[in-house]
Amino acid sequence: MDAVLKNLVGTERWVFIDDVIIFSSTAQEHALRLENVLRRFDIANLQLQPGKCVFAQSQVTYLGYVVSERGISASPEKNKGCKRISDPKKRQGR
């Protein structure tokens, strides 16, 4: 995947193994970036699984993080374990 999207990662999209996230400021810019990625997939003879594709979202969960126009934050699902930890208590007899 890195070879197919060479020189595009980090500036317009992120790639992790077979997951790709494309980001942009406007719908027009997003359409151009998506077309560029799809063209590269076509040239490399890569196929997408439609059931795993999500397009034109203002917020996505990606690798355990929520990515949106407001920035990147930990997914609430990942924070559940931390919220269940009880406060430390003093041990008796010490």
Side-chain angles (χ1 to χ4, degrees), residues 9-89:
V9 175
T11 57
E12 301 179 3
R13 61 209 38 87
W14 294 323
V15 176
F16 182 75
I17 304 176
D18 64 347
D19 288 331
V20 179
I21 183 171
I22 302 168
F23 49 90
S24 55
S25 299
T26 66
Q28 183 178 12
E29 181 181 47
H30 194 74
L32 292 173
R33 290 179 176 186
L34 177 61
E35 181 180 2
N36 193 12
V37 168
L38 294 177
R39 186 178 304 113
R40 287 184 182 216
F41 285 171
D42 187 41
I43 291 168
N45 201 29
L46 294 174
Q47 296 180 2
L48 300 175
Q49 293 183 349
K52 292 186 174 185
C53 296
V54 180
F55 296 97
Q57 301 294 302
S58 60
Q59 175 178 302
V60 295
T61 301
Y62 183 71
L63 303 175
Y65 293 91
V66 176
V67 181
S68 72
E69 63 185 11
R70 293 182 302 274
I72 302 170
S73 60
S75 168
E77 192 67 29
K78 297 290 181 185
N79 287 330
K80 281 183 181 178
C82 294
K83 291 179 180 178
R84 285 186 287 213
I85 296 175
S86 60
D87 293 334
K89 298 184 183 353

